[in-house]
Amino acid sequence: QAQLAESGGGSVEAGGSLRLSCAASGFSLSDLHLAWFRQAPGKECEAVAAIIRDGSTTYVSIYLQGRVTISRDNAANTFYLQMNHLRPVDTGMYYCAAGIGRGESYLSPLNYDHWGQGTQVTVSS
């Protein structure tokens, strides 16, 4: 069964860091575009960052540039989101996603077919 599983969420103080991981099972990530999305309470889901299938290019939401880095390890069938200088507004459920792409922006959820269950990130002031 194809699954994505996030880990690494938790509670941190403002200014802290977290590294989220997303491990795939039942399928290979190597030929897929990968992304992270998040949803804050009462708000719509928004893109955080994406990395294309060959890993040569990454895209980061303008609201998070300079604070997050997305990376992938195809050998481990896992990808990551490093988040630094966290702020209370970064609080939310973080989801990883993988997909073949459908010609949409890499930060569009329409490109992604596989989704994890989410990991909670809480940033306190």
Side-chain angles (χ1 to χ4, degrees), residues 52-108:
I52 68 172
R53 59 171 60 93
D54 67 4
S56 64
T57 306
T58 62
Y59 299 86
V60 178
S61 165
I62 58 172
Y63 304 108
L64 292 146
Q65 286 181 359
R67 297 196 296 122
V68 305
T69 303
I70 185 171
S71 60
R72 63 190 298 162
D73 183 347
N74 289 341
N77 217 24
T78 301
F79 63 109
Y80 308 94
L81 183 70
Q82 177 68 45
M83 301 190 292
N84 301 319
H85 307 295
L86 284 162
R87 304 167 182 169
V89 294
D90 296 319
T91 294
M93 188 70 76
Y94 284 68
Y95 300 91
C96 64
I100 59 172
R102 292 185 175 82
E104 303 288 337
S105 160
Y106 289 106
L107 294 177
S108 167

